């Protein structure tokens, strides 16, 4: 192993989803801190900020791999950015560590997927919502692959449940004019709303739905909830007036009372007392960097093929639980948690399921669509 192993960190800490990038970068920095605290010295992090410019992600990946000598890159937030850099990672025989929830239908030997795919977030979310609220949702989404694919899958799930999609609308990433969509929702009166918007669009939409609920009780969260698969603690303060009562399906919440999470938060508090609640994006980025470093050290090599073989060879303790990465798809098995937003910019856990093996192409999930969620509270 060379003297210094450099790991690239590719996150946008500015732009429409800058709060997510900042959280992810902090998670990466904390993973390096833990590594150093335990005596590690060989791994270093090299940061590149693309400023939410899609073309700059390619520039960043090229700079990290060619100029800085990184064979591993942890990063990208959006699916568009991930898909932009994968061909370059393949060209340089590198390994991309992706840790955000995404829309599935992808498995690449040059990518380790630490983020959840639809059978780990959308399917169990619908299994919770449909029996309680009915199969007549309204779908909103970002006007790119995440929104398109998530809503396509939602349509399929609703049709299979004998339901009806009452409306489907899309917005650009930075669009905050949501009045027409909210007016259409008020008119059509769905049983629940699936929110696949991102950043400012999502925050504006949730704030507008809260105002609608004040005018019409039918749209209060207990009657017509808005459910997301990507809304985390670090974003809640950006929602004007809050979004108390709305739902998010994730693989981690700050309030989890596991021994791993309690120890994790204790170490974090000692490092940065100013950091409040831990978001899924923080925990997942930490996990990706920590796993990357651990696999490099335990295999004795930074060669991506060797590291990948090491990753899939056994389970790895983490704040997300004992991670098992499938050798066929490179996806981690992840737990499902459903949280309800509280008035403290956090989530109350209302349902959960133990680690679900990833099924990115929904091969087995479609054959066995129903599982049993553990309802924590009603």
């Amino acid at each position: 192993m060379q003297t210094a192993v450099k790991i690239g960190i590719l996150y946008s800490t500015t732009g429409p989803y800058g709060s997510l990038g900042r959280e992810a970068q902090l998670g990466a920095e904390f993973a390096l801190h833990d590594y150093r605290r335990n005596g590690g010295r060989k791994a270093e992090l090299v940061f590149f900020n693309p400023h939410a410019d899609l073309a700059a992600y390619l520039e960043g990946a090229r700079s990290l791999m060619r100029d800085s000598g990184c064979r591993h890159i942890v990063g990208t937030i959006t699916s568009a950015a991930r898909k932009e850099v994968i061909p370059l990672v393949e060209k340089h025989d590198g390994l991309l560590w992706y840790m955000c929830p995404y829309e599935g239908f992808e498995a690449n030997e040059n990518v380790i997927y630490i983020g959840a795919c639809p059978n780990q977030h959308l399917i169990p979310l619908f299994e919770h919502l449909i029996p309680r609220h009915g199969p007549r949702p309204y779908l909103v989404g970002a006007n790119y692959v995440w929104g398109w694919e998530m809503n396509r899958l939602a349509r399929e799930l609703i049709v299979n449940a004998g339901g009806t999609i009452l409306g489907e609308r899309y917005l650009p990433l930075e669009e905050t004019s949501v009045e027409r969509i909210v007016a259409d929702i008020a008119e059509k009166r769905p049983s629940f709303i699936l929110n696949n918007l991102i950043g400012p669009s999502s925050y504006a939409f949730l704030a507008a739905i809260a105002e609608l609920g004040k005018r019409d009780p039918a749209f209060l969260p207990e009657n017509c909830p808005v459910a997301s698969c990507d809304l985390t603690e670090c974003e809640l303060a950006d929602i004007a007036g809050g979004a108390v009562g709305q739902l998010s399906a994730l693989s981690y919440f700050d309030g989890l009372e596991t021994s791993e999470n309690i120890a994790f938060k204790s170490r974090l508090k000692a490092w940065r007392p100013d950091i409040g609640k831990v978001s899924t994006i923080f925990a997942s980025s930490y996990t990706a960097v920590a796993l990357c470093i651990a696999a490099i050290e335990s295999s004795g090599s930074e060669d991506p093929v060797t590291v990948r073989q090491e990753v899939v060879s056994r389970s790895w303790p983490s704040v997300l639980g004992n991670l098992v990465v499938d050798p066929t798809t490179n996806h981690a098995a992840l737990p499902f948690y459903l949280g309800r937003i509280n008035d403290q910019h956090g989530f109350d856990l209302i349902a959960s399921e133990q680690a679900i093996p990833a099924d990115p192409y929904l091969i087995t999930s479609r054959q066995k669509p129903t599982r049993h969620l553990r309802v924590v509270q009603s």
Side-chain angles (χ1 to χ4, degrees), residues 86-164:
I86 283 176
L88 189 71
V89 173
E90 291 174 328
K91 178 181 177 181
H92 288 274
D93 297 320
L95 200 57
L96 175 67
W97 300 70
Y98 186 72
M99 30 44 76
C100 289
Y102 87 111
E103 66 284 346
F105 293 89
E106 181 179 298
N108 190 295
E109 65 181 10
N110 293 89
V111 184
I112 300 291
Y113 300 84
I114 307 296
C117 58
N119 81 296
Q120 297 167 312
H121 51 62
L122 183 64
I123 289 178
L125 172 64
F126 272 32
E127 288 174 350
H128 180 92
L129 289 173
I130 292 173
R132 292 166 174 81
H133 296 280
R136 300 173 62 254
Y138 195 106
L139 313 179
V140 296
N143 191 26
Y144 88 116
V145 62
W146 162 260
W148 303 332
E149 286 298 302
M150 287 289 286
N151 285 346
R152 180 184 67 80
L153 291 172
R155 290 196 302 273
E156 181 177 321
L157 292 171
I158 291 300
V159 169
N160 289 345
T164 304

Side-chain angles (χ1 to χ4, degrees), residues 10 22 26-27 41 59 92 125 153 223 225 231 242 245 257 270 295 343 348 368:
L10 185 62
R22 291 189 291 274
L26 270 175
R41 292 292 178 268
E59 174 192 342
H92 288 274
L125 172 64
L153 291 172
N223 299 323
L231 185 69
E257 296 182 354
D343 58 4
D348 297 324
K368 188 180 179 182

Side-chain angles (χ1 to χ4, degrees), residues 153-293:
L153 291 172
R155 290 196 302 273
E156 181 177 321
L157 292 171
I158 291 300
V159 169
N160 289 345
T164 304
I165 302 295
L166 297 191
E168 183 174 347
R169 294 288 185 87
Y170 296 88
L171 288 174
L173 287 180
E174 297 187 64
E175 180 60 65
T176 58
S177 296
V178 298
E179 294 81 9
R180 292 182 63 184
I181 294 178
V182 173
D184 195 41
I185 289 171
E187 179 182 344
K188 292 181 176 174
R189 310 186 83 75
S191 54
F192 67 91
I193 301 163
L194 180 66
N195 172 32
N196 292 311
L197 296 167
I198 293 175
S201 300
S202 179
Y203 314 150
F205 177 73
L206 287 164
I209 289 293
E211 290 300 315
L212 176 61
K214 292 177 183 178
R215 301 191 303 269
D216 185 344
F219 293 96
L220 290 172
E222 58 267 30
N223 299 323
C224 179
V226 179
S228 309
C229 293
D230 59 353
L231 185 69
T232 75
E233 284 93 342
C234 69
E235 301 175 274
L236 300 184
D238 294 327
I239 303 170
V244 174
Q246 306 297 11
L247 307 176
S248 192
L250 298 168
S251 55
Y252 171 91
F253 284 115
D254 174 87
L256 294 175
E257 296 182 354
T258 62
S259 58
E260 294 84 1
N261 194 41
I262 291 169
F264 178 75
K265 290 170 63 178
S266 177
R267 298 196 311 272
L268 176 59
K269 186 61 67 175
W271 177 57
R272 286 283 299 271
D274 59 307
I275 294 178
K277 290 183 171 60
V278 181
S279 69
T280 306
I281 203 84
F282 183 106
S284 297
S285 182
Y286 172 96
T287 299
V289 173
L291 178 56
C292 178
I293 293 174

Side-chain angles (χ1 to χ4, degrees), residues 236 242-245 277 340-348:
L236 300 184
V244 174
K277 290 183 171 60
R340 180 184 291 133
I341 300 173
N342 59 38
D343 58 4
Q344 302 297 315
H345 290 163
F347 290 90
D348 297 324

